[in-house]
Amino acid sequence: MSEKAIEPIHQFNIVKYFTFGNFGGNGTEGSGFEIAFTNSALFMLLTLLTISAFLILSTRGRGLVPGRMQLMAEMVYEFVANMVRSSAGTEGMRFFPFVFSLFMFILVANFFGMVPYFFTVTSHIIVTAFLAVLVFLVVVIYGFMRNGLSFLKLFVPPGIPWFIIWLVVPIEIISFLSRPLSHSLRLWGNMLAGHIVLKVFGGMVVALLGAGAWGVVAILPFGMAVALTGLEFLVAALQAFVFAVLTCVYLNDAIHPGH
Amino acid sequence: MAGEAQNEAVVDEGAVTHDGATDAHATTDTHALTEASGGHEVVGFPPFDASTFGSQLLWLAITFGALYVIMARVALRRIGEILEVRQDRIESDLAEADRMRQRTDQAIEAYEKELAEARQKAHGIAEQTRSDNSAAADARRAEVEAELAKQMGAAESRIQATKADALKNVDSIAAETAAALVSQIGGTVTDKQAQSAVQKVLEG
């Protein structure tokens, strides 16, 4: 039991509350995929409900002079709107709801993860990968829809001599294709590592407290855990911001592929 | 071993649904399946457990899709409206304030103009009064001076007359005195002779 409590990756376990059964495949194990309502799904739902409730209830009064909650909602709105406008231009504002949803979803999910015993949705690579691939697809599809084949100019930076262009274009293509990878790994790695480190220091406190007189030393990892908790709150907000800013930058490529 | 249990459970459940057996039986099997895969997860690294990917993706798609729709259709639209209404209100208030300020400026300008005019007018009146007053005074002085000059002329002519009169008397007095002197000395002389003698002396 104590072994399990200290084990730092236990917190990432997916716990099924109920299942809807297997879909696809041929009935043997490993084929098809199972659809279940899990702790991950619960916290996704909580994230959705928290954001919606906050934004809708706080703006219910439509006050000309905002109250505290309405002011917070307006500040988040303007923060993201300014971010989109400054990175992707006025035309980028058509993606404002998309970027806003991404930012809020990641931010609230990250903050939920900071509550002890709560599950961190963004600590699973499949979640961050889904979001990153979604951004990637939006960029590619909108880029081709808006610019046609001239979207491919994105890979040909202007003002490069012809003998270097054969080197630059493959590099540009590779860097473009690896975007969803770095985009998703950055968020996932930050959340995963932060939570593991927190758990490790917390586990050290527990282990040292059980060591008799040496329990006094537990103050050291305890201090680290406190400091890291503060850092993790910063990281939670920062990673949501970084994810949203990069989304804006990528969308800007779709809107203005000629650099 | 856990995998085997799951395999069994899956097969069993398939059989159950096929047979259409009782619900109680089905839930027990589902439970067994959950337990089996739960035991399986502790072994690996949870984020790489592909068996959870399906449900995570599905729920993420549902919740994120719902979030997008709610944000785009309700929340952001509403906040945008609030901000727009406020912006409009601020702009109209500023325009109103500007209009008021212009009116104030105009009023101040009109007031100052009127004030300057009034001052000008007062100045004119004062000037006019002063010049009127001095003209009247001049006229009066001239009048008084003329009167005085007339009186002085009259007085002078009177003095002249008196003087001439007096001088005439002096002649007769001198003739009388001369006649008296002559008679005292012992001669006789007429008034006429005395007078001509005096006249002779005077004309000397």
Side-chain angles (χ1 to χ4, degrees), chain B residues 39-188:
Chain B
H40 169 71
E41 272 164 7
V42 177
V43 180
F45 182 51
F48 291 157
D49 181 2
S51 70
T52 67
F53 284 4
S55 28
Q56 288 204 71
L57 284 177
L58 178 78
W59 287 107
L60 181 59
I62 291 173
T63 51
F64 188 74
L67 180 71
Y68 179 81
V69 170
I70 293 172
M71 291 301 107
R73 293 278 159 83
V74 187
L76 295 180
R77 189 168 291 179
R78 191 188 283 180
I79 298 176
E81 272 169 17
I82 291 173
L83 293 176
E84 207 167 303
V85 164
R86 182 175 310 148
Q87 190 62 30
D88 287 354
R89 176 68 184 270
I90 288 171
E91 268 166 17
S92 74
D93 280 5
L94 278 179
E96 177 73 11
D98 198 48
R99 212 171 53 77
M100 292 287 203
R101 198 175 52 76
Q102 275 178 2
R103 271 178 57 185
T104 313
D105 284 354
Q106 280 172 2
I108 288 173
E109 208 172 303
Y111 163 76
E112 277 180 352
K113 212 169 99 185
E114 260 169 43
L115 192 67
E117 263 171 22
R119 199 169 281 154
Q120 196 85 24
K121 221 159 139 187
H123 193 70
I125 288 172
E127 198 74 9
Q128 182 72 32
T129 312
R130 198 178 300 138
S131 65
D132 279 3
N133 282 351
S134 71
D138 282 354
R140 203 180 158 82
R141 197 172 57 216
E143 207 173 284
V144 171
E145 275 174 356
E147 182 71 18
L148 284 176
K150 212 165 82 186
Q151 281 181 9
M152 228 136 94
E156 258 172 23
S157 62
R158 208 162 49 238
I159 289 166
Q160 210 69 37
T162 313
K163 207 168 149 187
D165 224 23
L167 280 173
K168 207 179 282 169
N169 290 346
V170 166
D171 287 357
S172 61
I173 289 168
E176 275 171 23
T177 310
L181 279 171
V182 168
S183 64
Q184 283 295 318
I185 293 165
T188 47

Side-chain angles (χ1 to χ4, degrees), chain A residues 17-90:
Chain A
Y17 296 136
F18 54 87
T19 181
F20 297 99
N22 269 34
F23 294 87
N26 50 15
T28 57
E29 201 231 348
S31 69
F33 55 91
E34 186 191 20
I35 296 302
F37 189 80
T38 62
N39 53 351
S40 170
L42 174 68
F43 280 97
M44 288 174 191
L45 266 182
L46 279 179
T47 302
L48 165 69
L49 292 177
T50 305
I51 300 168
S52 305
F54 164 58
L55 288 176
I56 289 174
L57 293 181
S58 66
T59 56
R60 195 181 33 186
R62 292 165 181 265
L64 193 65
V65 178
R68 274 179 214 183
M69 294 305 275
Q70 191 185 325
L71 189 67
M72 276 173 67
E74 287 174 10
M75 279 166 73
V76 177
Y77 178 98
E78 300 226 303
F79 176 72
V80 180
N82 287 336
M83 181 165 77
V84 176
R85 209 176 286 123
S86 63
S87 310
T90 316

